[in-house]
Amino acid sequence: MTEGQDKPITDMSFEEALRALEGVVRSLESGDVPLDESIALYERGEELRKACQARLDAAQAKIEKIVAGADGAPTGTAPFDADS
């Protein structure tokens, strides 16, 4: 059984989800997993990948909204869903 296989993805931190995804990949690459389990692992891996990508996208959006002052130095941040 791979790490994080039973824990709901929504309860995982980014780091936990990434470790679980790495575990899924290792299991699938080993070739020692029966077909039905491989399919379940692949589905779990895809859900983990989507969750990680969503968190990375949200983090990138926040970073892109850093507010710069007249001198170009960061003066704070703005919510990524706020109008510019």
Side-chain angles (χ1 to χ4, degrees):
M1 182 179 286
T2 56
E3 180 181 343
Q5 190 171 1
D6 294 330
K7 188 173 185 178
I9 294 170
T10 55
D11 293 346
M12 293 180 170
S13 68
F14 173 80
E15 292 77 13
E16 288 174 318
L18 186 59
R19 280 192 301 274
L21 179 56
E22 290 168 346
V24 166
V25 170
R26 277 192 303 276
S27 293
L28 290 172
E29 287 179 341
S30 75
D32 295 333
V33 181
L35 179 60
D36 289 341
E37 189 177 338
S38 292
I39 292 169
L41 278 170
Y42 183 85
E43 291 170 344
R44 175 75 171 176
E46 181 60 16
E47 292 302 315
L48 288 161
R49 184 202 63 79
K50 287 179 184 176
C52 288
Q53 187 63 55
R55 290 180 186 166
L56 288 172
D57 291 345
Q60 181 178 357
K62 288 179 183 178
I63 291 168
E64 289 173 355
K65 282 291 188 172
I66 293 175
V67 179
D71 62 354
T75 60
T77 59
F80 66 91
D81 58 354
D83 292 328
S84 297

